[in-house]
Amino acid sequence: MTIREQLEQREKEYLSPYAVLSAQSRGRKREEEPCDIRPVFQRDRDRILHCKSFRRLRQKTQVFLLPDGDHYRTRLTHTLEVSQNARTIAKALRLNEDLAEAISLGHDLGHTPFGHAGERALNGICQNGFRHNEQSVRVVEILEKEGEGLNLTWEVVDGIRNHKSMGKPSTLEGQVVRLSDKIAYINHDIDDAIRGGILTEEDIPVRFRRLLGTGTRARLNTLIHDVITNSMDQPSIRMSEEIKEALFDLRKFMFTNVYENPAAKGEEVKAIHLVENLYYYYEDHLEILPGQYQKRLELGDLPEQVVCDYIAGMTDNYAVRKFEEIFMPEAWKN
């Protein structure tokens, strides 16, 4: 019996009846020889962790555009915090921790530079719109490995596609990630907003502090415990109504006071302008796109989709650099 088979047997003996067993995955689009050491979801996690799109997340905005300081979250640190939340919940509920981690690490691979400002820019000008969850799927299925994709399992792709609020993940592990994403970004965005002088802890309404606790550590403790307590031995991932309502009302508070606050988002207009101008330029100059994107055009992908692929894959710094190369007079460049 291989190490992988021993681990699969251990899953059968230990995991919840609601967990997805590695040995019972729906499989990959292209069949592969099983690994002798790693079950399929652990293998998927490793593929995501080693891909180029994952590494680029470290220079992509979470909320604050090019902040002055080293301690603000990036898209990469956000992803790691989502993964930690999801692993904690999955382990406590005896779900498949490898599956939850793989979905977590892959859920934002398709995110644009400049956070949701970049996403709104592309969504407003691309013919078929732009949604980062669908782009994340496109990254893992098509764009990575020079057009081969990562060939992930069905369950991981399903969790990535459905991690947004309106999504309906088919697995409990996917449901864990969808909720862990909200828990992570609401709490770390509060922390970053306080660091940036946008909020103080006392600005958070008393109702939320009373129900959820004061400070990031206390809120995370309350929210994660509530999910675990209410989801234990249940066929779905849920929260108590009181805590769920507080979490979503706190999210509304963050939209009003941080996500739509001119002090925090005043530079977004410039970022949107930058992304739009890059898009229109590359749409008119397809011949200068890098080789892997030329291949997508040759295979029949629509030009607007390929331009979106290229821009969405850029880091913040790379997008700024390309904008300067294209639009700034030579004498004015740094």
Side-chain angles (χ1 to χ4, degrees), residues 230-242:
N230 288 278
S231 304
M232 187 68 69
D233 299 321
Q234 298 296 322
S236 63
I237 302 302
R238 58 186 71 177
M239 304 179 77
S240 65
E241 285 303 316
E242 183 179 42

Side-chain angles (χ1 to χ4, degrees), residues 40-271:
V40 290
F41 302 133
Q42 183 182 349
R43 203 175 185 187
D44 283 0
R45 180 204 64 187
D46 295 350
R47 290 180 182 185
I48 293 168
L49 191 65
H50 289 287
C51 77
K52 291 186 292 186
S53 300
F54 185 80
R55 294 195 293 275
R56 289 198 298 266
L57 293 177
R58 73 185 181 90
Q59 289 187 351
K60 290 193 177 190
T61 291
Q62 172 59 25
V63 170
F64 292 88
L65 292 171
L66 301 172
D68 183 18
D70 295 333
H71 297 147
Y72 291 88
R73 270 69 170 193
T74 65
R75 190 62 55 179
L76 177 60
T77 56
H78 160 73
T79 294
L80 296 176
E81 291 185 37
V82 173
S83 175
Q84 186 58 53
N85 291 343
R87 287 183 58 193
T88 298
I89 295 170
K91 180 177 285 187
L93 297 177
R94 291 186 297 117
L95 299 177
N96 195 311
E97 195 175 340
D98 288 337
L99 174 55
E101 185 175 18
I103 296 169
S104 299
L105 296 180
H107 82 282
D108 270 355
L109 291 179
H111 229 299
T112 59
F114 311 117
H116 289 286
E119 182 173 19
R120 286 198 300 275
L122 290 181
N123 188 50
I125 55 181
C126 294
Q127 182 177 349
N128 296 318
F130 182 92
R131 292 163 294 279
H132 79 268
N133 58 318
E134 294 293 344
Q135 187 67 18
S136 295
V137 172
R138 185 168 169 82
V139 166
V140 299
E141 291 198 326
I142 296 173
L143 300 179
E144 270 293 337
K145 295 186 69 175
E146 304 300 325
E148 293 183 16
L150 301 180
N151 198 30
L152 304 179
T153 54
W154 183 91
E155 291 81 3
V156 172
V157 174
D158 172 80
I160 291 172
R161 175 175 282 119
N162 290 292
H163 77 269
K164 294 180 69 176
S165 296
M166 70 287 292
K168 295 182 178 179
S170 299
T171 67
L172 263 62
E173 289 82 357
Q175 292 178 31
V176 166
V177 173
R178 183 180 58 176
L179 195 50
S180 296
D181 185 29
K182 292 179 181 61
I183 291 172
Y185 75 68
I186 290 171
N187 280 284
H188 65 50
D189 291 351
I190 291 174
D191 189 44
D192 282 354
I194 291 172
R195 178 172 290 106
I198 306 300
L199 285 179
T200 66
E201 190 68 46
E202 289 69 34
D203 291 327
I204 299 172
V206 173
R207 173 193 165 214
F208 301 139
R209 285 184 277 150
R210 178 176 57 82
L211 283 173
L212 304 178
T214 299
T216 301
R217 179 178 178 180
R219 282 189 295 270
L220 286 172
N221 186 62
T222 298
L223 291 165
I224 289 173
H225 273 81
D226 188 81
V227 173
I228 292 169
T229 300
N230 288 278
S231 304
M232 187 68 69
D233 299 321
Q234 298 296 322
S236 63
I237 302 302
R238 58 186 71 177
M239 304 179 77
S240 65
E241 285 303 316
E242 183 179 42
I243 298 299
K244 178 182 177 181
E245 182 180 354
L247 176 65
F248 281 83
D249 285 350
L250 181 57
R251 182 173 179 267
K252 293 176 184 176
F253 169 84
M254 289 296 291
F255 267 94
T256 300
N257 293 275
V258 176
Y259 304 140
E260 298 170 357
N261 186 328
K265 312 301 280 183
E267 297 295 297
E268 278 197 352
V269 173
K270 298 176 186 177

Side-chain angles (χ1 to χ4, degrees), residues 1-10 35-39:
M1 182 181 287
T2 65
I3 294 173
R4 170 184 55 80
E5 290 170 330
Q6 292 176 39
L7 292 173
E8 290 172 347
Q9 181 61 36
R10 193 178 303 168
C35 178
D36 62 333
I37 297 174
R38 297 167 298 167

